[in-house]
Amino acid sequence: MSKRPWPFVLGGLLVALLLAGVVSNYASAHPDGLDSSLLKGCTVNADDEITGGSCPAQQAKDHELADSPLADYGVRGVGNDFLSTGLSGVLGVLLTFALGGGLFWLARRRGPSTGPATGPATGPAGPGSDPTADERAARAAGTR
């Protein structure tokens, strides 16, 4: 396995951006399972507006953030629906990547410090003076 994960991470980011920016526009416009189950008992027209009957969807209210810039799978103020949906997906992926990357950066595992040795002086620095090299050698030998 490569010690540098950047090509893999950037490749994954590129695939996620492509899916969010382009492929998301081709998702089904029909209601999903939750929406369709909430519409049981009601009649709806071609625009998915309730025209009669009685169902739980009639009690639905707008969310508190319904007027936010990225509400309803689009970017407010962008007139082209294809571009609005794609841009919303790309912004969501970038925001998620930045947040996740920041959390991983904060929680990353740090190696032992390479401060001054606390034991007796052993003379000039040699192959055994680097504690990380000693740890790697011990792991490779299976003694740790």
Side-chain angles (χ1 to χ4, degrees), residues 28-53:
S28 174
H30 298 293
D32 62 10
L34 177 61
D35 287 339
S36 64
S37 67
L38 291 175
L39 289 172
K40 286 191 181 187
C42 284
T43 54
V44 294
N45 62 14
D47 295 327
D48 289 328
E49 296 170 347
I50 299 172
T51 58

Side-chain angles (χ1 to χ4, degrees), residues 16-17 20-21 24 70 73-75 83-94:
L17 288 170
S24 64
L70 295 177
Y73 302 106
V75 176
L83 181 63
S84 177
T85 301
L87 189 58
S88 174
V90 166
L91 289 173
V93 166
L94 291 175

Side-chain angles (χ1 to χ4, degrees), residues 56-112:
Q58 292 171 317
Q59 314 306 318
K61 299 175 186 168
D62 275 342
H63 190 271
E64 295 164 355
L65 300 175
D67 60 344
S68 67
L70 295 177
D72 206 20
Y73 302 106
V75 176
R76 174 157 294 142
V78 177
N80 183 334
D81 286 342
F82 189 89
L83 181 63
S84 177
T85 301
L87 189 58
S88 174
V90 166
L91 289 173
V93 166
L94 291 175
L95 181 65
T96 303
F97 183 77
L99 183 64
L103 289 174
F104 273 105
W105 180 79
L106 287 173
R108 73 183 183 271
R109 190 170 179 202
R110 300 173 197 258

